[in-house]
Amino acid sequence: PPRVSEKVTHRQSARIGSAIKLPCPVEGDPPPLIMWTKDGRNIHSGWIRFRILRMGLKIKEVEADDSGTYICKATNGFGSVNINHTLIVIDDSASDRTGPAAADGAETERSTDGLSEKLVRPRFTHPTKMRKRRIERPVGSSVRLKCMASGNPRPEIVWLKDDRLLTAQEVGEGRQKKWTLTLRNLTPEQSGKYTCRVSNQAGEINATYYIEVIQRTSSKPVLTGTHPVNTTVDYGGTTSFQCKVRSDVKPVIQWLKRVEYYEESRYNSTIEVGDHRFVVLPTGEVWSRPDGSYLNKLLITRAKEEDAGMYICLGANTMGYSFRSAFLTVLPDTKPPIPPIFSPAYNPLPWPVIVGIPAGIVLIFGAALLWFCQSRKHCPPPSAPAAAAQVMQSSHRPPYRERERGCAAPASISSSPDKDCIASMNYEEYLAQQQLLLSHPALPSKVYPKIFTDIHTHTHSHVDGKVHQHQHIHFQC
């Protein structure tokens, strides 16, 4: 958002007739738009003595009425900030000293009796602003006639029209103190010769203006001056086109931009004029100027290459229209491109993908390995149980024929390990058999000198959801 970038003195003072600049040091991204107000009224281009600069407001030929509260408001899409100024206008014409001694800063000369000061003849203090003595204005406009002067004692000023003294109502209350005669809403009857007469005890001077108020006629607008003019702007910079139109009634001022054939797809709608197509641009406020003309500006911010081209200012009223064109050139971007953090060929993956892919591969490999191992354990070689059955049969004695007959059928099917007699014997049966073998009196004592028992229980969980549990019983006689 906008912020104040420098310290500002909020209380400003200026003398009548001087110039002053009220600062507005703000910055932001994007650059903020600046708007000035005086006592709540917007300041625009119609205020001919006021000029809005990039970092402040400049006031020329300060008058007493210029005193008041000024606010600079800076706004962009992220916020706004205000800077307030209080302007005090000082009228020191009563103490003007224009003689050589006063210019050198010396004390005012007095007469020998010490009762009176040196007399100074009146003189105009801003003669360069009084050069234009013949002025033409249309009906309804306004004009300002200036006769700023100094002297000792302070001179008096009176205004005459065609050698007739103007009354206080005609001059306006308080206008004489500003050395300016302002005529508003001019009518043809106000045409004539206007004279300011400035005098004091030391002498008198005067200046004459000739005012002609032109009766308006219904005609189409006319673009006055040289604007708009061809403009060049830096890439990313800000510029503007200005259009000044003279019209009997308030005209419609519109800006157009010529569209090349390859750019038509960028715009929703275009208009065709002759052999070219144009797009209508948004238009700001149309300001009325004191000379009877109308002003409008087209602002272009953060200029890009596509902003370059031909722009047209079109002024129209009920009687017709006039237009004038100008070209905008946008200089190429001189800033070096920012190098990318990663190489163009490298496309970084998010960390869940980086972790998930190896984990998935490991999980799949582990499941396959587990399935393979379970398959091998579930189908042992058929020769093992057959050998165990043969050992059992060879070591049995006649008292155990019944047990052998109970196991004869399963033992004969050596190719089916799941039905093997030894494999199907549980732990209790095995212990009972061993005790029977050891306690039988007819059994030689050295047939089974020592018995080693080793029982392992295995549980297998298969992929298809089945749970298989069996025991391995190992013995040695």
Side-chain angles (χ1 to χ4, degrees), residues 250-302:
K250 186 175 181 178
V252 175
I253 300 179
Q254 191 68 62
W255 288 93
L256 310 176
K257 183 181 184 297
R258 188 173 71 183
V259 178
E260 304 298 338
Y261 68 93
Y262 54 85
E263 298 178 322
E264 293 184 12
S265 59
R266 296 181 183 175
Y267 306 97
N268 294 331
S269 62
T270 58
I271 60 175
E272 185 173 356
V273 181
D275 297 333
H276 300 282
R277 301 195 69 86
F278 294 84
V279 61
V280 180
L281 303 177
T283 303
E285 182 182 358
V286 177
W287 294 308
S288 175
R289 296 175 58 87
D291 60 0
S293 63
Y294 297 87
L295 180 69
N296 183 262
K297 287 186 177 181
L298 175 66
L299 183 65
I300 301 173
T301 59
R302 307 185 78 172

CSV table of all heavy atoms in Angstrom, one decimal, residues 250-302:
chain,number,residue,atom,x,y,z
A,250,LYS,N,-21.0,21.8,-24.0
A,250,LYS,CA,-20.1,20.8,-23.5
A,250,LYS,C,-20.0,19.6,-24.4
A,250,LYS,O,-21.0,19.0,-24.7
A,250,LYS,CB,-20.5,20.4,-22.1
A,250,LYS,CG,-19.5,19.4,-21.4
A,250,LYS,CD,-19.8,19.1,-20.0
A,250,LYS,CE,-18.8,18.2,-19.3
A,250,LYS,NZ,-19.1,17.9,-17.9
A,251,PRO,N,-18.8,19.3,-24.9
A,251,PRO,CA,-18.7,18.3,-25.9
A,251,PRO,C,-18.5,16.9,-25.2
A,251,PRO,O,-18.3,16.8,-24.0
A,251,PRO,CB,-17.5,18.7,-26.7
A,251,PRO,CG,-16.6,19.3,-25.7
A,251,PRO,CD,-17.5,20.0,-24.7
A,252,VAL,N,-18.6,15.9,-26.0
A,252,VAL,CA,-18.2,14.5,-25.6
A,252,VAL,C,-16.8,14.3,-26.2
A,252,VAL,O,-16.6,14.4,-27.4
A,252,VAL,CB,-19.2,13.5,-26.2
A,252,VAL,CG1,-18.7,12.1,-25.9
A,252,VAL,CG2,-20.6,13.7,-25.6
A,253,ILE,N,-15.9,14.0,-25.3
A,253,ILE,CA,-14.5,13.7,-25.6
A,253,ILE,C,-14.2,12.3,-25.4
A,253,ILE,O,-14.4,11.7,-24.3
A,253,ILE,CB,-13.5,14.6,-24.8
A,253,ILE,CG1,-13.8,16.1,-25.1
A,253,ILE,CG2,-12.1,14.3,-25.2
A,253,ILE,CD1,-12.9,17.0,-24.3
A,254,GLN,N,-13.8,11.6,-26.5
A,254,GLN,CA,-13.5,10.2,-26.4
A,254,GLN,C,-12.2,9.8,-27.0
A,254,GLN,O,-11.7,10.5,-28.0
A,254,GLN,CB,-14.6,9.4,-27.3
A,254,GLN,CG,-14.6,7.9,-27.1
A,254,GLN,CD,-15.0,7.5,-25.7
A,254,GLN,OE1,-16.2,7.8,-25.2
A,254,GLN,NE2,-14.1,6.9,-24.9
A,255,TRP,N,-11.5,8.9,-26.4
A,255,TRP,CA,-10.2,8.4,-26.9
A,255,TRP,C,-10.3,7.1,-27.6
A,255,TRP,O,-11.0,6.2,-27.1
A,255,TRP,CB,-9.2,8.3,-25.7
A,255,TRP,CG,-8.8,9.6,-25.2
A,255,TRP,CD1,-9.4,10.3,-24.1
A,255,TRP,CD2,-7.7,10.5,-25.6
A,255,TRP,NE1,-8.7,11.5,-23.9
A,255,TRP,CE2,-7.7,11.6,-24.8
A,255,TRP,CE3,-6.8,10.3,-26.7
A,255,TRP,CZ2,-6.8,12.6,-25.0
A,255,TRP,CZ3,-5.9,11.3,-26.8
A,255,TRP,CH2,-5.9,12.5,-26.0
A,256,LEU,N,-9.6,6.9,-28.7
A,256,LEU,CA,-9.6,5.7,-29.5
A,256,LEU,C,-8.2,5.2,-29.7
A,256,LEU,O,-7.3,6.1,-29.7
A,256,LEU,CB,-10.3,5.8,-30.8
A,256,LEU,CG,-11.7,6.5,-30.8
A,256,LEU,CD1,-12.2,6.7,-32.3
A,256,LEU,CD2,-12.7,5.6,-30.1
A,257,LYS,N,-8.0,3.9,-29.8
A,257,LYS,CA,-6.7,3.4,-30.1
A,257,LYS,C,-6.8,2.5,-31.3
A,257,LYS,O,-7.7,1.6,-31.3
A,257,LYS,CB,-6.1,2.6,-28.9
A,257,LYS,CG,-4.7,2.1,-29.2
A,257,LYS,CD,-4.2,1.3,-28.0
A,257,LYS,CE,-2.7,0.8,-28.2
A,257,LYS,NZ,-2.6,-0.1,-29.4
A,258,ARG,N,-5.9,2.7,-32.3
A,258,ARG,CA,-6.0,1.8,-33.5
A,258,ARG,C,-5.5,0.4,-33.1
A,258,ARG,O,-4.5,0.2,-32.4
A,258,ARG,CB,-5.1,2.4,-34.6
A,258,ARG,CG,-5.3,1.7,-35.9
A,258,ARG,CD,-4.5,2.4,-37.0
A,258,ARG,NE,-3.1,2.3,-36.9
A,258,ARG,CZ,-2.2,2.9,-37.7
A,258,ARG,NH1,-2.7,3.7,-38.7
A,258,ARG,NH2,-0.9,2.7,-37.5
A,259,VAL,N,-6.2,-0.5,-33.7
A,259,VAL,CA,-5.9,-1.9,-33.4
A,259,VAL,C,-5.4,-2.6,-34.7
A,259,VAL,O,-6.1,-2.5,-35.7
A,259,VAL,CB,-7.2,-2.7,-32.9
A,259,VAL,CG1,-6.9,-4.2,-32.7
A,259,VAL,CG2,-7.7,-2.0,-31.6
A,260,GLU,N,-4.3,-3.2,-34.6
A,260,GLU,CA,-3.7,-3.9,-35.7
A,260,GLU,C,-4.5,-5.2,-35.9
A,260,GLU,O,-5.2,-5.7,-35.0
A,260,GLU,CB,-2.2,-4.2,-35.5
A,260,GLU,CG,-1.4,-3.0,-35.2
A,260,GLU,CD,-1.4,-2.0,-36.4
A,260,GLU,OE1,-1.7,-2.4,-37.5
A,260,GLU,OE2,-1.2,-0.8,-36.2
A,261,TYR,N,-4.4,-5.8,-37.1
A,261,TYR,CA,-5.2,-7.0,-37.5
A,261,TYR,C,-4.9,-8.2,-36.6
A,261,TYR,O,-5.8,-9.0,-36.3
A,261,TYR,CB,-5.0,-7.3,-38.9
A,261,TYR,CG,-3.6,-7.9,-39.2
A,261,TYR,CD1,-3.3,-9.2,-39.2
A,261,TYR,CD2,-2.5,-7.0,-39.6
A,261,TYR,CE1,-2.0,-9.7,-39.5
A,261,TYR,CE2,-1.3,-7.5,-39.8
A,261,TYR,CZ,-1.0,-8.8,-39.8
A,261,TYR,OH,0.2,-9.3,-40.0
A,262,TYR,N,-3.7,-8.3,-36.1
A,262,TYR,CA,-3.3,-9.4,-35.3
A,262,TYR,C,-3.6,-9.2,-33.8
A,262,TYR,O,-3.4,-10.0,-33.0
A,262,TYR,CB,-1.8,-9.7,-35.4
A,262,TYR,CG,-0.9,-8.5,-35.1
A,262,TYR,CD1,-0.5,-8.2,-33.8
A,262,TYR,CD2,-0.4,-7.7,-36.1
A,262,TYR,CE1,0.3,-7.1,-33.5
A,262,TYR,CE2,0.4,-6.6,-35.9
A,262,TYR,CZ,0.8,-6.3,-34.6
A,262,TYR,OH,1.6,-5.3,-34.3
A,263,GLU,N,-4.2,-8.0,-33.4
A,263,GLU,CA,-4.5,-7.7,-32.1
A,263,GLU,C,-6.0,-7.7,-31.8
A,263,GLU,O,-6.5,-7.5,-30.7
A,263,GLU,CB,-4.0,-6.3,-31.7
A,263,GLU,CG,-2.5,-6.2,-31.7
A,263,GLU,CD,-2.1,-4.7,-31.4
A,263,GLU,OE1,-2.8,-3.8,-31.8
A,263,GLU,OE2,-1.0,-4.6,-30.7
A,264,GLU,N,-6.8,-8.0,-32.8
A,264,GLU,CA,-8.3,-7.9,-32.7
A,264,GLU,C,-8.8,-8.9,-31.7
A,264,GLU,O,-9.8,-8.6,-31.0
A,264,GLU,CB,-9.0,-8.1,-34.0
A,264,GLU,CG,-8.7,-6.9,-35.0
A,264,GLU,CD,-9.5,-7.1,-36.3
A,264,GLU,OE1,-10.4,-7.9,-36.4
A,264,GLU,OE2,-9.1,-6.4,-37.3
A,265,SER,N,-8.2,-10.0,-31.5
A,265,SER,CA,-8.7,-11.0,-30.6
A,265,SER,C,-8.6,-10.6,-29.2
A,265,SER,O,-9.2,-11.2,-28.3
A,265,SER,CB,-7.9,-12.4,-30.9
A,265,SER,OG,-6.5,-12.2,-30.7
A,266,ARG,N,-7.8,-9.6,-28.9
A,266,ARG,CA,-7.6,-9.2,-27.5
A,266,ARG,C,-8.8,-8.4,-27.0
A,266,ARG,O,-9.0,-8.3,-25.8
A,266,ARG,CB,-6.4,-8.3,-27.4
A,266,ARG,CG,-5.0,-9.0,-27.7
A,266,ARG,CD,-3.9,-8.0,-27.5
A,266,ARG,NE,-2.6,-8.5,-27.8
A,266,ARG,CZ,-1.5,-7.8,-27.8
A,266,ARG,NH1,-1.5,-6.6,-27.5
A,266,ARG,NH2,-0.3,-8.4,-28.2
A,267,TYR,N,-9.6,-7.8,-27.9
A,267,TYR,CA,-10.7,-6.9,-27.4
A,267,TYR,C,-12.0,-7.6,-27.8
A,267,TYR,O,-12.2,-8.3,-28.8
A,267,TYR,CB,-10.5,-5.6,-28.1
A,267,TYR,CG,-9.1,-5.0,-28.0
A,267,TYR,CD1,-8.1,-5.1,-28.9
A,267,TYR,CD2,-8.9,-4.2,-26.8
A,267,TYR,CE1,-6.9,-4.5,-28.8
A,267,TYR,CE2,-7.6,-3.7,-26.6
A,267,TYR,CZ,-6.6,-3.8,-27.6
A,267,TYR,OH,-5.4,-3.2,-27.4
A,268,ASN,N,-13.0,-7.2,-26.9
A,268,ASN,CA,-14.3,-7.8,-27.1
A,268,ASN,C,-15.0,-7.1,-28.3
A,268,ASN,O,-15.8,-7.8,-29.0
A,268,ASN,CB,-15.1,-7.5,-25.8
A,268,ASN,CG,-14.6,-8.4,-24.6
A,268,ASN,OD1,-14.1,-9.4,-24.8
A,268,ASN,ND2,-14.8,-7.9,-23.4
A,269,SER,N,-14.8,-5.8,-28.4
A,269,SER,CA,-15.5,-5.1,-29.5
A,269,SER,C,-14.6,-4.0,-30.1
A,269,SER,O,-13.9,-3.4,-29.3
A,269,SER,CB,-16.8,-4.5,-29.0
A,269,SER,OG,-16.6,-3.6,-28.0
A,270,THR,N,-14.6,-3.8,-31.3
A,270,THR,CA,-13.9,-2.7,-32.0
A,270,THR,C,-14.8,-2.0,-33.0
A,270,THR,O,-15.9,-2.6,-33.4
A,270,THR,CB,-12.7,-3.3,-32.7
A,270,THR,OG1,-13.1,-4.3,-33.7
A,270,THR,CG2,-11.7,-3.9,-31.8
A,271,ILE,N,-14.5,-0.8,-33.4
A,271,ILE,CA,-15.2,-0.1,-34.4
A,271,ILE,C,-14.4,0.1,-35.6
A,271,ILE,O,-13.1,0.2,-35.5
A,271,ILE,CB,-15.8,1.2,-33.8
A,271,ILE,CG1,-14.6,2.1,-33.4
A,271,ILE,CG2,-16.7,1.0,-32.7
A,271,ILE,CD1,-15.0,3.5,-33.0
A,272,GLU,N,-15.0,0.2,-36.8
A,272,GLU,CA,-14.3,0.3,-38.0
A,272,GLU,C,-14.4,1.8,-38.5
A,272,GLU,O,-15.5,2.3,-38.6
A,272,GLU,CB,-14.8,-0.6,-39.1
A,272,GLU,CG,-14.0,-0.6,-40.4
A,272,GLU,CD,-14.5,-1.7,-41.3
A,272,GLU,OE1,-15.3,-2.5,-40.9
A,272,GLU,OE2,-13.9,-1.8,-42.5
A,273,VAL,N,-13.3,2.4,-38.8
A,273,VAL,CA,-13.3,3.8,-39.3
A,273,VAL,C,-12.3,3.7,-40.5
A,273,VAL,O,-11.1,3.6,-40.4
A,273,VAL,CB,-12.8,4.8,-38.3
A,273,VAL,CG1,-12.8,6.2,-38.9
A,273,VAL,CG2,-13.6,4.7,-37.0
A,274,GLY,N,-12.9,3.9,-41.7
A,274,GLY,CA,-12.1,3.8,-42.9
A,274,GLY,C,-11.6,2.4,-43.1
A,274,GLY,O,-12.3,1.4,-43.0
A,275,ASP,N,-10.3,2.3,-43.3
A,275,ASP,CA,-9.6,1.0,-43.5
A,275,ASP,C,-9.0,0.4,-42.2
A,275,ASP,O,-8.3,-0.6,-42.2
A,275,ASP,CB,-8.5,1.1,-44.5
A,275,ASP,CG,-9.0,1.5,-45.9
A,275,ASP,OD1,-10.2,1.2,-46.1
A,275,ASP,OD2,-8.3,2.2,-46.6
A,276,HIS,N,-9.3,1.1,-41.0
A,276,HIS,CA,-8.7,0.6,-39.8
A,276,HIS,C,-9.8,0.4,-38.8
A,276,HIS,O,-10.9,0.8,-38.9
A,276,HIS,CB,-7.7,1.7,-39.2
A,276,HIS,CG,-6.6,2.1,-40.2
A,276,HIS,ND1,-5.5,1.3,-40.3
A,276,HIS,CD2,-6.4,3.1,-41.0
A,276,HIS,CE1,-4.7,1.8,-41.2
A,276,HIS,NE2,-5.2,2.9,-41.6
A,277,ARG,N,-9.4,-0.4,-37.8
A,277,ARG,CA,-10.3,-0.7,-36.7
A,277,ARG,C,-9.7,-0.1,-35.4
A,277,ARG,O,-8.5,0.0,-35.2
A,277,ARG,CB,-10.5,-2.2,-36.5
A,277,ARG,CG,-11.0,-2.9,-37.7
A,277,ARG,CD,-11.5,-4.3,-37.4
A,277,ARG,NE,-12.7,-4.3,-36.5
A,277,ARG,CZ,-13.9,-4.2,-37.0
A,277,ARG,NH1,-14.1,-4.1,-38.3
A,277,ARG,NH2,-15.0,-4.2,-36.2
A,278,PHE,N,-10.6,0.4,-34.5
A,278,PHE,CA,-10.3,1.1,-33.3
A,278,PHE,C,-11.0,0.5,-32.1
A,278,PHE,O,-12.1,-0.1,-32.3
A,278,PHE,CB,-10.6,2.6,-33.4
A,278,PHE,CG,-9.8,3.3,-34.4
A,278,PHE,CD1,-10.1,3.3,-35.8
A,278,PHE,CD2,-8.6,4.0,-34.1
A,278,PHE,CE1,-9.4,4.0,-36.7
A,278,PHE,CE2,-7.9,4.6,-35.0
A,278,PHE,CZ,-8.2,4.6,-36.3
A,279,VAL,N,-10.4,0.6,-31.0
A,279,VAL,CA,-11.0,0.2,-29.7
A,279,VAL,C,-11.3,1.5,-28.9
A,279,VAL,O,-10.5,2.4,-28.9
A,279,VAL,CB,-10.2,-0.8,-28.9
A,279,VAL,CG1,-8.8,-0.2,-28.5
A,279,VAL,CG2,-10.9,-1.3,-27.7
A,280,VAL,N,-12.5,1.6,-28.3
A,280,VAL,CA,-12.8,2.7,-27.5
A,280,VAL,C,-12.3,2.6,-26.1
A,280,VAL,O,-12.5,1.6,-25.4
A,280,VAL,CB,-14.4,2.9,-27.4
A,280,VAL,CG1,-14.7,4.1,-26.6
A,280,VAL,CG2,-14.9,3.0,-28.8
A,281,LEU,N,-11.5,3.6,-25.6
A,281,LEU,CA,-10.8,3.5,-24.3
A,281,LEU,C,-11.7,4.2,-23.3
A,281,LEU,O,-12.5,5.1,-23.6
A,281,LEU,CB,-9.5,4.2,-24.4
A,281,LEU,CG,-8.5,3.6,-25.5
A,281,LEU,CD1,-7.2,4.4,-25.5
A,281,LEU,CD2,-8.2,2.1,-25.2
A,282,PRO,N,-11.6,3.8,-22.0
A,282,PRO,CA,-12.3,4.5,-20.9
A,282,PRO,C,-11.8,6.0,-20.9
A,282,PRO,O,-10.6,6.3,-21.0
A,282,PRO,CB,-11.9,3.7,-19.7
A,282,PRO,CG,-11.4,2.4,-20.2
A,282,PRO,CD,-10.8,2.6,-21.5
A,283,THR,N,-12.8,6.8,-20.7
A,283,THR,CA,-12.5,8.3,-20.7
A,283,THR,C,-12.9,8.8,-19.3
A,283,THR,O,-13.9,8.5,-18.7
A,283,THR,CB,-13.4,9.0,-21.7
A,283,THR,OG1,-13.1,8.4,-23.0
A,283,THR,CG2,-13.1,10.5,-21.8
A,284,GLY,N,-12.0,9.7,-18.8
A,284,GLY,CA,-12.1,10.3,-17.5
A,284,GLY,C,-13.0,11.6,-17.6
A,284,GLY,O,-13.7,11.8,-18.6
A,285,GLU,N,-13.0,12.4,-16.6
A,285,GLU,CA,-13.8,13.6,-16.5
A,285,GLU,C,-13.4,14.6,-17.5
A,285,GLU,O,-12.2,14.8,-17.7
A,285,GLU,CB,-13.7,14.1,-15.0
A,285,GLU,CG,-14.6,15.3,-14.8
A,285,GLU,CD,-14.5,15.9,-13.4
A,285,GLU,OE1,-13.7,15.3,-12.6
A,285,GLU,OE2,-15.1,16.9,-13.1
A,286,VAL,N,-14.4,15.3,-18.0
A,286,VAL,CA,-14.1,16.4,-18.9
A,286,VAL,C,-14.2,17.7,-18.1
A,286,VAL,O,-15.3,18.0,-17.5
A,286,VAL,CB,-15.1,16.5,-20.1
A,286,VAL,CG1,-14.9,17.7,-21.0
A,286,VAL,CG2,-15.0,15.2,-20.9
A,287,TRP,N,-13.1,18.5,-18.1
A,287,TRP,CA,-13.1,19.7,-17.3
A,287,TRP,C,-13.3,20.9,-18.1
A,287,TRP,O,-12.8,21.1,-19.3
A,287,TRP,CB,-11.7,19.8,-16.6
A,287,TRP,CG,-11.4,18.7,-15.6
A,287,TRP,CD1,-12.2,18.4,-14.6
A,287,TRP,CD2,-10.3,17.9,-15.5
A,287,TRP,NE1,-11.7,17.3,-13.9
A,287,TRP,CE2,-10.5,17.0,-14.4
A,287,TRP,CE3,-9.1,17.7,-16.3
A,287,TRP,CZ2,-9.6,16.0,-14.1
A,287,TRP,CZ3,-8.2,16.8,-16.0
A,287,TRP,CH2,-8.4,15.9,-14.9
A,288,SER,N,-14.0,21.9,-17.6
A,288,SER,CA,-14.3,23.1,-18.2
A,288,SER,C,-13.2,24.1,-17.8
A,288,SER,O,-13.0,24.3,-16.6
A,288,SER,CB,-15.7,23.6,-17.9
A,288,SER,OG,-15.9,24.9,-18.4
A,289,ARG,N,-12.6,24.8,-18.7
A,289,ARG,CA,-11.6,25.8,-18.4
A,289,ARG,C,-12.1,27.2,-18.5
A,289,ARG,O,-13.2,27.5,-19.1
A,289,ARG,CB,-10.4,25.6,-19.4
A,289,ARG,CG,-9.7,24.3,-19.3
A,289,ARG,CD,-8.6,24.1,-20.4
A,289,ARG,NE,-7.6,25.2,-20.3
A,289,ARG,CZ,-6.6,25.1,-19.5
A,289,ARG,NH1,-6.4,24.1,-18.7
A,289,ARG,NH2,-5.7,26.1,-19.5
A,290,PRO,N,-11.5,28.1,-17.8
A,290,PRO,CA,-12.0,29.5,-17.8
A,290,PRO,C,-12.0,30.2,-19.2
A,290,PRO,O,-12.8,31.1,-19.4
A,290,PRO,CB,-10.9,30.3,-16.9
A,290,PRO,CG,-10.3,29.2,-16.0
A,290,PRO,CD,-10.3,28.0,-16.9
A,291,ASP,N,-11.2,29.7,-20.1
A,291,ASP,CA,-11.3,30.4,-21.5
A,291,ASP,C,-12.4,29.8,-22.3
A,291,ASP,O,-12.4,30.1,-23.5
A,291,ASP,CB,-9.9,30.2,-22.1
A,291,ASP,CG,-9.5,28.7,-22.3
A,291,ASP,OD1,-10.3,27.8,-21.9
A,291,ASP,OD2,-8.5,28.4,-22.9
A,292,GLY,N,-13.2,29.0,-21.8
A,292,GLY,CA,-14.4,28.5,-22.5
A,292,GLY,C,-14.1,27.1,-23.2
A,292,GLY,O,-15.0,26.6,-23.9
A,293,SER,N,-12.9,26.6,-23.1
A,293,SER,CA,-12.6,25.3,-23.7
A,293,SER,C,-12.8,24.2,-22.7
A,293,SER,O,-13.1,24.4,-21.5
A,293,SER,CB,-11.1,25.3,-24.2
A,293,SER,OG,-10.2,25.5,-23.1
A,294,TYR,N,-12.7,23.0,-23.2
A,294,TYR,CA,-12.9,21.8,-22.4
A,294,TYR,C,-11.6,20.9,-22.5
A,294,TYR,O,-11.0,20.8,-23.6
A,294,TYR,CB,-14.1,21.0,-22.8
A,294,TYR,CG,-15.4,21.8,-22.6
A,294,TYR,CD1,-15.8,22.7,-23.6
A,294,TYR,CD2,-16.1,21.7,-21.5
A,294,TYR,CE1,-17.0,23.4,-23.5
A,294,TYR,CE2,-17.3,22.5,-21.3
A,294,TYR,CZ,-17.7,23.3,-22.3
A,294,TYR,OH,-18.8,24.0,-22.1
A,295,LEU,N,-11.2,20.3,-21.4
A,295,LEU,CA,-10.0,19.5,-21.4
A,295,LEU,C,-10.3,18.1,-20.9
A,295,LEU,O,-11.1,17.9,-20.0
A,295,LEU,CB,-9.0,20.2,-20.4
A,295,LEU,CG,-7.6,19.5,-20.2
A,295,LEU,CD1,-6.8,19.7,-21.5
A,295,LEU,CD2,-6.9,20.2,-19.1
A,296,ASN,N,-9.5,17.2,-21.5
A,296,ASN,CA,-9.6,15.8,-21.0
A,296,ASN,C,-8.2,15.2,-21.2
A,296,ASN,O,-7.5,15.5,-22.2
A,296,ASN,CB,-10.6,15.0,-21.8
A,296,ASN,CG,-10.8,13.6,-21.3
A,296,ASN,OD1,-10.2,12.6,-21.9
A,296,ASN,ND2,-11.5,13.4,-20.3
A,297,LYS,N,-7.9,14.3,-20.3
A,297,LYS,CA,-6.6,13.6,-20.4
A,297,LYS,C,-6.7,12.1,-20.4
A,297,LYS,O,-7.6,11.6,-19.7
A,297,LYS,CB,-5.7,14.0,-19.2
A,297,LYS,CG,-5.2,15.4,-19.2
A,297,LYS,CD,-4.2,15.7,-18.1
A,297,LYS,CE,-3.6,17.1,-18.2
A,297,LYS,NZ,-2.6,17.4,-17.1
A,298,LEU,N,-5.9,11.4,-21.1
A,298,LEU,CA,-5.8,10.0,-21.1
A,298,LEU,C,-4.5,9.6,-20.4
A,298,LEU,O,-3.4,9.9,-20.9
A,298,LEU,CB,-5.8,9.4,-22.6
A,298,LEU,CG,-5.6,7.9,-22.7
A,298,LEU,CD1,-6.8,7.2,-22.1
A,298,LEU,CD2,-5.5,7.5,-24.2
A,299,LEU,N,-4.6,8.9,-19.3
A,299,LEU,CA,-3.5,8.5,-18.5
A,299,LEU,C,-3.1,7.0,-18.8
A,299,LEU,O,-4.0,6.1,-18.9
A,299,LEU,CB,-3.8,8.6,-17.0
A,299,LEU,CG,-2.7,8.3,-16.0
A,299,LEU,CD1,-1.5,9.3,-16.2
A,299,LEU,CD2,-3.2,8.3,-14.6
A,300,ILE,N,-1.8,6.8,-19.1
A,300,ILE,CA,-1.3,5.5,-19.4
A,300,ILE,C,-0.3,5.1,-18.3
A,300,ILE,O,0.8,5.8,-18.3
A,300,ILE,CB,-0.7,5.4,-20.8
A,300,ILE,CG1,-1.8,5.7,-21.9
A,300,ILE,CG2,-0.1,4.0,-21.1
A,300,ILE,CD1,-1.2,5.8,-23.2
A,301,THR,N,-0.5,4.1,-17.5
A,301,THR,CA,0.4,3.8,-16.4
A,301,THR,C,1.0,2.4,-16.7
A,301,THR,O,0.4,1.6,-17.4
A,301,THR,CB,-0.4,3.7,-15.1
A,301,THR,OG1,-1.4,2.7,-15.2
A,301,THR,CG2,-1.0,5.1,-14.7
A,302,ARG,N,2.2,2.2,-16.2
A,302,ARG,CA,3.0,1.0,-16.4
A,302,ARG,C,2.9,0.5,-17.9
A,302,ARG,O,2.4,-0.6,-18.2
A,302,ARG,CB,2.4,-0.1,-15.5
A,302,ARG,CG,2.3,0.3,-14.0
A,302,ARG,CD,1.8,-0.8,-13.1
A,302,ARG,NE,2.9,-1.7,-12.8
A,302,ARG,CZ,2.9,-2.6,-11.9
A,302,ARG,NH1,1.8,-2.8,-11.2
A,302,ARG,NH2,3.9,-3.4,-11.6
